Amino acid sequence: MARTTAEKRPTEPDEAAEPQPEETAPEEPTPADAASEEAEPEQAAPEETDGEEAEATEETEAGDAADEDAAKKASRRRLPRISDPVLLVAAVLVVVAGVCAGYFGWSWYGAAHDDSLAYSRDRDAVLRAAEQGVQNMNTLDYRKVEQGLASWEASTTGDLHQQLVQGSAQFSQQVRAAKTVTTAKILDAAVTELDDRAGKAGAIVAVQITVTPPTGTPATKQSRMRAQLTRTSSGWKLSALGQAPVGTTAG
């Protein structure tokens, strides 16, 4: 019996010691909890601040994007003036035309006052006078003797002119008696010397002369003539005329 009692002893204290759950009354909020609850709404303030900053950032970025778009549009409006090949070429041509106009205008002015241009003009005048003078001196029609002799005198100056004036009557009689018609064609000519300051020049003229008699076949020959010219108040005129030496070329 003692053993049985000993075995039952642990059981009794267990039954007696098992606590029963007690109903816990709701705890009243403490001042700390109240303060915590009151403080919680204030934590939303940073969230509102962050939103405002985000909105401000978005507005700034939107403004920057708008400015960038406006700059791009303005740039696109300006680009054709530079990148458009047609406009670029046109602009370049305008500039080049202006530069060329100024350059050629100045070049023309300088050339017009250049001594070499004056020399070239004198050379051309000498060449024309030599060709015309030699042609006139080898042209004479018996039916128009007086007109032909007047042309001889108008093409000459100095001693040659005096010789023609003095011998005009004799020439007229000879041509009328022969009843010949003499014509000339200039083949080539070249100025051999020119002293524009002294007013003296020389030329060699190749001429083809045709003499037509009253009956028979015309006779044609080619000749080279050396001419001396002198500048007068009415232009360059022949002051001497003769056959060019053999081997002399015009040019």
Side-chain angles (χ1 to χ4, degrees):
M1 294 297 291
R3 185 177 181 181
T4 303
T5 304
E7 290 177 357
K8 290 181 180 182
R9 284 179 182 175
T11 303
E12 292 176 358
D14 290 340
E15 293 177 357
E18 182 177 355
Q20 296 294 327
E22 298 179 358
E23 293 181 1
T24 304
E27 297 181 356
E28 295 180 1
T30 62
D33 294 337
S36 176
E37 290 177 359
E38 293 177 358
E40 286 179 357
E42 294 180 359
Q43 291 178 355
E47 295 180 359
E48 295 178 359
T49 303
D50 292 343
E52 292 177 357
E53 291 180 355
E55 291 178 0
T57 302
E58 290 178 357
E59 292 178 357
T60 303
E61 291 177 353
D64 292 342
D67 294 340
E68 185 177 355
D69 292 340
K72 288 181 179 179
K73 291 180 180 178
S75 177
R76 284 195 295 269
R77 287 195 297 269
R78 293 192 298 268
L79 280 177
R81 301 179 184 177
I82 301 175
S83 62
D84 191 332
V86 175
L87 295 180
L88 181 59
V89 171
V92 171
L93 290 179
V94 169
V95 174
V96 171
V99 172
C100 290
Y103 171 76
F104 287 115
W106 175 255
S107 298
W108 177 88
Y109 178 83
H113 296 77
D114 193 351
D115 292 340
S116 63
L117 180 59
Y119 184 87
S120 178
R121 288 175 175 172
D122 282 342
R123 189 180 185 89
D124 292 342
V126 167
L127 185 62
R128 290 193 299 269
E131 292 177 345
Q132 189 62 56
V134 170
Q135 184 174 12
N136 292 343
M137 291 296 293
N138 289 279
T139 301
L140 192 61
D141 188 341
Y142 77 96
R143 295 163 297 188
K144 303 175 182 178
V145 176
E146 300 302 329
Q147 182 179 348
L149 292 177
S151 177
W152 286 15
E153 294 175 6
S155 301
T156 58
T157 188
D159 293 342
L160 179 59
H161 178 76
Q162 292 299 324
Q163 293 173 7
L164 294 176
V165 171
Q166 293 173 2
S168 61
Q170 184 179 357
F171 295 148
S172 177
Q173 290 177 0
Q174 292 175 350
V175 172
R176 284 192 175 98
K179 295 183 179 181
T180 57
V181 177
T182 304
T183 59
K185 177 182 180 182
I186 302 300
L187 302 177
D188 195 8
V191 176
T192 57
E193 57 181 317
L194 172 60
D195 187 343
D196 56 341
R197 294 184 179 180
K200 300 293 182 180
I204 290 180
V205 181
V207 59
Q208 178 177 292
I209 303 170
T210 301
V211 179
T212 304
T215 60
T217 304
T220 301
K221 68 174 183 178
Q222 294 183 358
S223 177
R224 280 189 172 88
M225 309 192 77
R226 181 181 291 277
Q228 295 294 320
L229 297 95
T230 300
R231 184 169 54 205
T232 68
S233 58
S234 56
W236 292 90
K237 295 185 178 184
L238 297 174
S239 54
L241 184 64
Q243 292 291 326
V246 178
T248 303
T249 58

